Amino acid sequence: MEDCTTAQGLSEELQLESYDFELPVELIAQQPLPNRDAARLMVLERQLHRRSHRNVRELPELLQAGDLLVVNDTRVLPARIRASMSGGGKVELLFVRPLTAGVSDEVWLCLGRPGRRLRRGRLCTLAGGAQARVEEVMCRGRYAVRVETSAGMLAYLNAHGEVPLPPYIRRPAGPAPQDAERYQTVFARTAGAVAAPTAGLHFSPELIARLRERGVEIASLTLHVGPGTFQPIRCEDVRQHRMEPEWSSIPEETARKIRAAKAQGNRVIAVGTTSTRALESSACDPPQWVAPGEHWADCFIYPGYRFRVIDALFTNFHLPGSTLLLLVAALAGRAWLLESYREAVAHGYRFYSYGDAMLIL
């Protein structure tokens, strides 16, 4: 644990250990299903305290005309690069976001390993022959890395980078060819994420068409998923965890659709925890509801939080003790959510990025 106060005297909702659950390793999905919308769907109806087992393809029948789905249109960068250090040895860099941009070189915030080889001033040769220098060693495995490229970093990453699959998806030989497509949502437009907004992976063009036929509205925003989403909570008292901000942008059209939905008494349903954080971080008092434009999403949502924008959530099944699990528990209730997770395990649901889904109404 970090330098945090102890959990003594805290309610269960605020103790990190209260968000643990047993998950057989064989339930961690290693491959996407052949069809995006073929996953199983657990539905939690809060007012009725009722739980049912459905399929993602049934989503249009589970929603109502006038409901507004808000999706994250971020696009995952092929941000993982392997490199050779000038003094010998291999390293791996994950390019998170630019810190400065130049004509022929750029400085990026990176995660890197192993840290013992990444010292300030060290030079390395990246895949494809680009040269890089460690400009600064930061905390928590973060580095400022200056890269010399002729075409710019986005073009370089697209040419030489690997899909940054999470570590629980095992690919000893590196990402498979299908990962380049299936680890992107069909909504992906704006490049900048180092991980997929995985709830959106379940949507296919056919499912989207059926939702629109049903009268369900769809709006988009952008939140570039960064390492802060996956930063483990190390404090026994979860309130002491600090979320790392992530860049987000809410278009005026999306803000308008949210205002219209609220005015008509319709539900705003976030697709994923990333959309939730972007919306709740930009929350305003009615009648505006959300502030359009660019901002840094920095709210940390855990039980006790009062949701101001979203009314329901479509999400995946998340890691024990993660900020994502706490966000979902804030909406569904910790005890009922963990009971639902135990039922999901008993029914053989698939977990995490390529896994099944949950709809909380």
Side-chain angles (χ1 to χ4, degrees):
M1 295 291 177
E2 292 179 348
D3 185 17
C4 306
T5 59
T6 66
Q8 187 174 10
L10 290 175
S11 66
E12 283 190 316
E13 283 72 17
L14 299 178
Q15 296 180 35
L16 179 59
E17 65 181 14
S18 299
Y19 295 91
D20 196 13
F21 62 89
E22 292 187 13
L23 178 66
V25 67
E26 61 268 20
L27 294 185
I28 300 174
Q30 296 299 307
Q31 302 289 342
L33 294 175
N35 298 308
R36 288 182 180 269
D37 56 9
R40 299 169 70 184
L41 179 66
M42 179 180 283
V43 181
L44 306 186
E45 298 174 81
R46 288 175 291 163
Q47 288 189 345
L48 299 175
H49 200 73
R50 183 170 63 189
R51 186 166 48 228
S52 59
H53 302 280
R54 310 291 287 268
N55 187 281
V56 169
R57 287 176 179 158
E58 298 176 74
L59 186 60
E61 290 73 49
L62 296 167
L63 301 184
Q64 304 166 1
D67 282 340
L68 175 64
L69 287 174
V70 183
V71 304
N72 186 358
D73 69 4
T74 189
R75 186 170 187 83
V76 181
L77 290 169
R80 181 167 285 127
I81 294 289
R82 302 180 192 278
S84 301
M85 302 305 297
S86 58
K90 304 290 186 180
V91 295
E92 184 179 285
L93 296 171
L94 182 68
F95 285 78
V96 177
R97 58 180 171 85
L99 296 174
T100 65
V103 176
S104 61
D105 61 354
E106 300 182 32
V107 179
W108 276 60
L109 173 66
C110 294
L111 300 184
R113 61 180 185 181
R116 68 181 183 276
R117 292 178 179 156
L118 293 163
R119 298 287 184 258
R120 184 174 182 177
R122 290 289 303 275
L123 297 172
C124 59
T125 301
L126 308 182
Q131 299 299 303
R133 178 190 299 270
V134 179
E135 294 282 295
E136 184 180 351
V137 177
M138 303 174 175
C139 62
R140 294 181 297 182
R142 288 159 167 76
Y143 305 87
V145 177
R146 183 180 297 277
V147 183
E148 297 180 3
T149 65
S150 57
M153 275 304 298
L154 290 181
Y156 169 77
L157 291 174
N158 284 324
H160 300 287
E162 293 182 358
V163 177
L165 294 175
Y168 50 75
I169 295 178
R170 297 184 295 275
R171 297 283 191 275
Q178 68 170 345
D179 292 317
E181 179 210 355
R182 292 302 302 274
Y183 198 62
Q184 299 280 11
T185 72
V186 295
F187 307 110
R189 298 290 182 274
T190 308
V194 297
T198 55
L201 297 178
H202 296 287
F203 288 77
S204 65
E206 295 77 16
L207 179 62
I208 294 168
R210 290 177 52 232
L211 286 164
R212 288 185 166 137
E213 290 172 1
R214 176 75 168 177
V216 175
E217 293 271 351
I218 299 176
S220 65
L221 54 77
T222 306
L223 183 141
H224 289 328
V225 187
T229 289
F230 308 101
Q231 189 70 28
I233 301 174
R234 294 189 172 93
C235 297
E236 294 178 355
D237 180 348
V238 300
R239 296 173 298 179
Q240 297 187 18
H241 179 74
R242 295 292 175 263
M243 285 289 293
E244 187 173 321
E246 294 167 308
W247 183 89
S248 68
S249 177
I250 298 178
E252 174 57 46
E253 176 67 8
T254 296
R256 185 195 64 76
K257 287 186 176 183
I258 290 171
R259 291 194 297 270
K262 294 291 190 179
Q264 296 164 18
N266 295 325
R267 296 178 296 190
V268 175
I269 304 170
V271 176
T273 58
T274 62
S275 295
T276 301
R277 289 191 64 236
L279 292 172
E280 295 295 325
S281 294
S282 67
C284 298
D285 293 330
Q288 190 173 12
W289 292 103
V290 295
E294 298 179 3
H295 68 283
W296 288 91
D298 59 359
C299 66
F300 173 33
I301 299 173
Y302 54 87
Y305 178 86
R306 181 177 66 87
F307 288 89
R308 301 175 63 188
V309 181
I310 76 160
D311 303 297
L313 173 64
F314 180 94
T315 188
N316 278 28
F317 288 88
H318 302 294
L319 278 73
S322 63
T323 59
L324 310 179
L325 183 67
L326 268 68
L327 184 153
V328 180
L331 186 66
R334 184 195 66 86
W336 193 35
L337 179 70
L338 291 181
E339 179 185 304
S340 300
Y341 268 50
R342 288 191 290 272
E343 183 166 320
V345 169
H347 283 74
Y349 274 68
R350 302 164 74 246
F351 276 67
Y352 305 163
S353 295
Y354 280 152
D356 294 318
M358 174 179 281
L359 176 64
I360 304 170
L361 298 172

